[in-house]
């Protein structure tokens, strides 16, 4: 090997040795630094407790090493001066509300009443002391009557029973306002309220028929639970053809809608429900011969299958939050039946009058013709709405609590979900109220919690609003309710 070659190899090996030594030095330095840092957190052996002594555990530092924070100051008082029992000063309240309630956008006929929650007399009452058109705030009277006469836990049944012949079955409507034909929710999926479904009823019926060895049937449907006209004579003539509301019946699917969630209604909700039920049986291997026909079930016919609605309290919440006209009219009839009256508009109105009278609410000056408030013929003193809410909040009427506790919340739920946000933010979350709307009629009735924590019950109805001022009037009602919530009066 040449000397030049030996020098090159020697330089390479020497370079490698130098490189390794440099890396080793860096590693040693890093390890030493890490050890030094670690020692800062280890206890000093000189202060370690001796054997047999009781160790003293110091509290851990409030912050990392080297960081010194000032001592925490005492927190500020939250809701300073909150006194929910402090009296409301009517003059102060009137000074806040009267200018809002007299706004020209509300028209020339406005009724307003506000009372302290639990009080017998109103604090402020403005407007002419006559009746107003309540629109959908009338639903407060309907659901109160239903809860009082039926009970919040009651469930309405839809059933299938044996008919007059061995091969005949009868679909019996039980007046479930929320019956649907969609598939039941999968296990573990919560739906609210839980709706009874024709899908489940058909599955149970088919299983029972197959166990009995029967694969072919004829189908009848019985919607005779309700009586009287299905359409209120006081409603506007265009309500039914324009799909504002369905004919009221004890048997329907999705409240008589042609397609769930859409406005279009079918002309005969009971017949449509039976037709869909026949299709569901066919899909499960039970042939339905011919077209379903209307007819009463044979008394004492054996029950083949049944499905039950959500509890009435949940249906009431649905009706109040969505201002469900059909649901309210069904509950009106159910209340009539519960009080021994015919399940009709007339029977329901009589049930409302008698039930509210028993609760101490005077309807002498009221005129009621339906349960939803769709009829312009409904007339009501504004103070009645406040009285109903007061009764529902009383400790002795726990069964009525959903009337108040399930009202829409300003800016958050139901018919108030998009309201108060821009025009009346002081009311957000602090006002719960039932809305009422017809052409030229706008109303709110509910409860407000003031900034001092006091509960106020109120109702405001304007029923001569210029149509061009519709949106302005609605916003003004929100401002009135928000002023109650923001009042320190």
């Amino acid at each position: 090997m040449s000397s030049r070659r030996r020098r090159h190899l020697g330089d390479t090996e020497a370079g490698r040795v130098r490189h390794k030594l440099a890396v080793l030095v860096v590693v040693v330095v890093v390890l030493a630094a890490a050890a030094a840092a670690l020692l800062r957190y280890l206890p000093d052996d000189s202060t370690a407790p001796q054997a047999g002594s009781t160790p003293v555990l110091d509290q851990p530092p409030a912050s990392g090493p080297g960081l010194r924070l000032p001592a925490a100051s005492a927190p500020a008082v939250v809701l300073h001066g909150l006194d929910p029992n402090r009296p409301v000063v009517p003059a102060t309240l009137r000074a806040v509300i009267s200018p809002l309630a007299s706004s020209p956008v509300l028209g020339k006929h406005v009724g307003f009443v506000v009372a302290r929650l639990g009080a017998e007399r109103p604090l402020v009452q403005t407007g002419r002391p006559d009746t107003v058109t309540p629109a959908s705030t009338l639903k407060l009277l309907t659901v109160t009557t239903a809860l009082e006469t039926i009970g919040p836990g009651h469930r309405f049944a839809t059933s299938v029973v044996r008919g007059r012949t061995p091969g005949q079955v009868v679909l019996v409507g039980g007046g479930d306002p929320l019956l649907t034909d969609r598939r039941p929710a999968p296990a573990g999926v919560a739906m609210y309220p839980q709706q009874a479904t024709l899908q489940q009823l058909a599955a149970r019926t088919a299983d029972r028929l197959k166990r009995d060895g029967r694969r072919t049937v004829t189908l009848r449907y019985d919607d005779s639970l309700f009586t009287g006209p299905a359409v209120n004579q006081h409603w506007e003539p265009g309500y039914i053809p324009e799909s504002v509301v369905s004919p009221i019946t004890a048997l329907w699917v999705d409240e008589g809608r042609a397609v769930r969630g859409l406005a279009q209604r079918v002309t005969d909700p009971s017949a449509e429900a039976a037709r869909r039920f026949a299709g569901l049986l066919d899909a499960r291997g039970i042939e339905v011969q011919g077209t379903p026909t209307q007819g009463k079930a044979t008394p004492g016919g054996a029950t083949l299958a049944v499905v039950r609605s959500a509890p009435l309290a949940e249906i009431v919440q649905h009706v109040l939050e969505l201002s469900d006209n059909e649901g309210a009219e069904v509950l009106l009839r159910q209340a009539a039946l519960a009080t021994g009256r015919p399940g009709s508009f007339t029977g329901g109105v009589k049930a409302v009058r008698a039930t509210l009278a028993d609760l101490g609410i005077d309807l002498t000056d009221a005129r009621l013709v339906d349960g939803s408030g769709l009829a312009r013929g409904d007339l009501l003193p504004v103070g009645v709405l406040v009285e109903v809410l007061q009764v529902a909040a009383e400790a002795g009427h726990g069964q009525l609590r959903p009337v108040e506790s399930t009202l829409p919340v300003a800016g958050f739920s139901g018919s108030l979900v998009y309201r108060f946000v821009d025009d009346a933010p002081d009311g957000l979350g602090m006002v719960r109220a039932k809305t009422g709307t017809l052409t030229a009629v706008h109303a709110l009735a509910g409860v407000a919690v003031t900034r001092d924590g006091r509960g106020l019950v109120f109702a405001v109805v304007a029923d001569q609003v210029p149509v061009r001022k519709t949106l302005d009037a609605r916003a003004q009602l929100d401002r009135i309710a928000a002023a109650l919530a923001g009042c320190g009066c």
Side-chain angles (χ1 to χ4, degrees):
M1 182 181 297
S2 66
S3 59
R4 182 178 181 182
R5 174 71 169 170
R6 286 194 300 269
R7 286 194 303 272
H8 175 75
L9 290 177
D11 292 342
T12 300
E13 291 174 356
R16 290 175 179 172
V17 170
R18 287 193 298 271
H19 175 72
K20 291 179 180 179
L21 288 174
V23 171
L24 181 60
V25 169
V26 171
V27 170
V28 170
V29 171
V30 170
L31 291 176
L38 180 61
L39 288 174
R40 297 175 63 185
Y41 297 95
L42 295 178
D44 188 349
D45 288 342
S46 63
T47 60
Q50 301 299 317
S53 65
T54 302
V56 178
L57 300 179
D58 292 332
Q59 294 296 323
S63 58
L67 182 61
R68 296 291 182 267
L69 296 177
S73 59
V77 176
V78 178
L79 298 178
H80 180 70
L82 182 64
D83 183 7
N85 297 315
R86 185 165 61 89
V88 178
V89 180
T92 305
L93 184 62
R94 189 178 296 108
V96 171
I97 298 302
S98 293
L100 296 173
S102 60
S103 170
V105 302
L106 295 179
K108 297 179 179 180
H109 194 228
V110 181
F112 175 76
V113 175
V114 61
R116 183 73 181 268
L117 183 63
E120 294 183 3
R121 297 178 180 274
L123 291 165
V124 175
Q125 187 164 353
T126 65
R128 294 170 56 186
D130 56 2
T131 58
V132 295
T133 302
S136 283
T137 58
L138 182 69
K139 292 181 175 73
L140 292 171
L141 280 64
T142 303
V143 299
T144 297
T145 302
L147 287 166
E148 178 69 10
T149 59
I150 302 170
H154 184 80
R155 299 173 184 264
F156 305 111
T158 306
S159 60
V160 176
V161 302
R162 296 192 186 278
R164 291 186 173 87
T165 63
Q168 185 183 79
V169 296
V170 185
L171 174 63
V172 181
D176 177 358
L178 301 185
L179 183 69
T180 183
D181 69 342
R182 67 177 180 175
R183 292 183 179 275
V189 177
M191 301 295 291
Y192 191 90
Q194 285 284 353
Q195 292 175 261
T197 171
L198 282 186
Q199 291 270 0
Q200 193 171 49
L201 184 62
R204 293 175 181 177
T205 303
D207 289 344
R208 176 62 182 272
L209 291 171
K210 289 175 183 177
R211 290 198 303 270
D212 293 345
R214 184 164 296 280
R215 297 276 181 163
T216 302
V217 297
T218 59
L219 177 63
R220 301 181 75 180
Y221 61 93
D222 182 352
D223 62 352
S224 63
L225 182 66
F226 296 161
T227 57
V231 178
N232 195 298
Q233 62 176 334
H234 298 279
W235 289 346
E236 297 292 327
Y239 278 179
I240 299 299
E242 294 173 8
S243 290
V244 174
V245 65
S246 296
I248 307 304
T249 173
L251 175 65
W252 60 21
V253 170
D254 296 327
E255 298 185 329
R257 286 173 170 79
V259 178
R260 176 180 173 81
L262 299 182
Q264 184 181 358
R265 270 76 168 181
V266 300
T267 56
D268 189 341
S270 297
E272 176 66 12
R275 185 191 67 79
R276 295 191 193 183
F277 184 69
L280 292 170
L281 286 180
D282 283 331
R284 286 161 176 78
I286 302 297
E287 179 185 354
V288 178
Q289 296 180 327
T291 301
T293 58
Q294 187 178 28
K296 289 187 177 182
T298 303
T303 300
L304 298 176
V306 63
V307 291
R308 300 186 184 279
S309 72
L312 175 59
E314 296 182 14
I315 296 175
V316 164
Q317 179 173 356
H318 165 87
V319 168
L320 291 179
E321 285 192 341
L322 302 185
S323 200
D324 185 337
N325 295 314
E326 285 91 352
E329 296 298 350
V330 168
L331 294 185
L332 183 75
R333 284 162 169 72
Q334 294 285 14
L337 295 171
T339 58
R341 297 176 171 88
S344 62
F345 287 108
T346 301
V349 167
K350 289 181 178 178
V352 170
R353 285 187 170 276
T355 302
L356 295 188
D358 289 343
L359 292 171
I361 299 172
D362 183 8
L363 293 180
T364 302
D365 296 329
R367 180 183 184 226
L368 308 179
V369 296
D370 67 5
S372 61
L374 278 175
R376 292 183 177 274
D378 293 314
L379 295 174
L380 200 67
V382 179
V384 167
L385 297 170
V386 170
E387 291 177 38
V388 168
L389 291 167
Q390 293 280 37
V391 169
E394 289 178 0
H397 296 115
Q399 74 278 12
L400 301 181
R401 197 55 47 80
V403 175
E404 195 164 293
S405 66
T406 63
L407 288 171
V409 180
F412 290 92
S413 64
S415 56
L416 292 183
V417 69
Y418 297 117
R419 292 178 60 169
F420 289 78
V421 176
D422 296 322
D423 297 315
D426 285 348
L428 291 174
M430 306 306 290
V431 173
R432 304 188 73 122
K434 179 71 197 75
T435 56
T437 305
L438 292 171
T439 302
V441 180
H442 298 277
L444 273 182
V447 294
V449 178
T450 72
R451 67 187 185 189
D452 292 329
R454 290 169 290 177
L456 299 178
V457 185
F458 71 93
V460 55
V461 181
D463 61 1
Q464 293 182 14
V465 175
V467 175
R468 68 183 185 278
K469 297 293 186 180
T470 292
L471 295 180
D472 294 331
R474 190 181 71 173
Q476 189 69 8
L477 295 188
D478 294 351
R479 294 187 190 101
I480 292 172
L484 294 176
C487 184
C489 44

